[in-house]
């Protein structure tokens, strides 16, 4: 199972703001490792949404923003739109996994529903 | 802009070896700074890292799969490969290849591998 915990689902009406939490520990987010976020639309491959905690790749609307504090990170979507309905995953690195020093991990995933 | 494309068998029998290849275009897999990843997603479930290989050829595997996984580079064909041995039904998933700097900057479209007799 994942060491990064996300809420299974969040929902909001069009135009509203929703946030998705990604809770880790002292061996991953709390250790200073970067957090990245992905959006996965139904039936498609994940797409990088936020990298290195709070940076948007070219083409990602500024409605999406990321933050990190302590052992957790958050993704915020402001001005929620119908096309934002998707699964969202956080990703980081955990130094406690395996015998060779650590490994990458995904969060458990969150389904965003636009009401 | 890098493009990645997975290929390989979509049906593998239990106990056999799953083999997939990821062709990279728009850049060299030998370029410094990038790692090349294999990630999978069982039907209806979340994402799982399988392993990755640096441009240098160093490999790192998910501890839970380490004994069954091999990832390799083929610089002459600008592609990298995954082999997963002794598969069971639990290995049925969409398999993605990806590339980036400690994250999935670029992804293939994914390929469904079904483990069944």
């Amino acid at each position: 199972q994942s060491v990064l915990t996300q809420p299974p689902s969040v929902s909001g009406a069009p135009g509203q703001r929703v946030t998705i939490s990604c809770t880790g520990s002292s061996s991953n987010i709390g250790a200073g490792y970067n957090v990245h976020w992905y959006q996965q639309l139904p039936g498609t491959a994940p797409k990088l949404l936020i990298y290195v905690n709070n940076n948007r790749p070219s083409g990602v609307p500024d409605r999406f923003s990321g933050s990190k504090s302590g052992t957790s990170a958050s993704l915020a979507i402001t001005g929620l739109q119908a096309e934002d309905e998707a699964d969202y995953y956080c990703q980081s690195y955990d130094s406690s996994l395996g015998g060779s020093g650590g490994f990458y991990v995904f969060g458990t995933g969150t389904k965003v529903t636009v009401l | 802009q890098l493009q990645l494309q997975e290929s390989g068998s979509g049906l593998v029998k239990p106990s056999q070896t799953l083999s997939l290849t990821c062709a990279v275009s728009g850049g060299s897999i030998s370029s410094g700074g990038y790692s090349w990843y294999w990630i999978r997603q069982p039907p209806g479930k979340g994402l799982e890292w399988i392993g990755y290989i640096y441009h240098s050829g160093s490999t790192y595997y998910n501890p839970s799969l380490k004994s069954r996984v091999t990832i390799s580079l083929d610089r002459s064909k600008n592609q990298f490969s995954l082999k997963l041995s002794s598969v069971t039904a639990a290995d049925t998933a969409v398999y993605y290849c990806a590339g980036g700097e400690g994250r999935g900057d670029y992804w293939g479209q994914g390929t469904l591998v079904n483990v069944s007799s």
Side-chain angles (χ1 to χ4, degrees):
Chain A
Q1 65 257 25
S2 178
V3 297
L4 301 179
T5 302
Q6 300 178 231
S9 64
V10 298
S11 61
Q16 284 190 330
R17 179 179 188 270
V18 297
T19 61
I20 300 170
S21 59
C22 174
T23 302
S25 67
S26 58
S27 62
N28 42 67
I29 298 174
Y33 294 110
N34 291 324
V35 177
H36 317 290
W37 290 90
Y38 303 87
Q39 177 193 59
Q40 186 176 31
L41 297 170
T44 69
K47 166 192 165 185
L48 184 65
L49 195 66
I50 297 288
Y51 67 96
V52 187
N53 307 321
N54 56 12
N55 296 277
R56 287 185 307 276
S58 174
V60 172
D62 59 7
R63 302 185 292 105
F64 295 92
S65 62
S67 64
K68 174 186 159 185
S69 179
T71 58
S72 296
S74 291
L75 173 71
I77 310 173
T78 57
L80 194 64
Q81 298 183 4
E83 59 260 37
D84 299 333
E85 192 159 285
D87 294 324
Y88 293 81
Y89 294 90
C90 60
Q91 179 239 309
S92 187
Y93 185 90
D94 191 290
S95 60
S96 70
L97 297 177
S100 58
F103 201 70
Y104 293 115
V105 288
F106 285 109
T108 49
T110 299
K111 181 172 181 58
V112 170
T113 301
V114 181
L115 301 172
Chain B
Q1 189 83 347
L2 287 177
Q3 293 187 324
L4 288 75
Q5 177 68 59
E6 305 90 350
S7 62
S9 176
L11 179 63
V12 182
K13 289 182 167 53
S15 80
Q16 293 190 341
T17 296
L18 178 160
S19 295
L20 296 174
T21 296
C22 181
V24 179
S25 58
S28 171
I29 61 170
S30 298
S31 298
Y34 266 40
S35 303
W36 305 101
Y37 311 108
W38 286 102
I39 294 156
R40 70 181 182 178
Q41 186 172 35
K45 296 187 178 181
L47 300 168
E48 179 184 32
W49 290 95
I50 299 171
Y52 59 101
I53 186 166
Y54 280 134
H55 59 90
S56 63
S58 300
T59 53
Y60 299 84
Y61 302 135
N62 186 324
S64 67
L65 300 170
K66 188 174 183 177
S67 63
R68 301 194 290 131
V69 175
T70 302
I71 296 175
S72 59
L73 288 176
D74 186 335
R75 302 179 197 281
S76 65
K77 295 182 179 178
N78 212 41
Q79 63 187 31
F80 60 105
S81 299
L82 168 70
K83 291 189 185 300
L84 181 66
S85 64
S86 304
V87 298
T88 69
D91 295 309
T92 293
V94 175
Y95 285 74
Y96 295 101
C97 62
E101 299 178 77
R103 59 189 183 257
D105 292 274
Y106 303 98
W107 292 70
Q109 65 186 25
T111 186
L112 175 63
V113 177
N114 190 17
V115 178
S116 174
S117 54

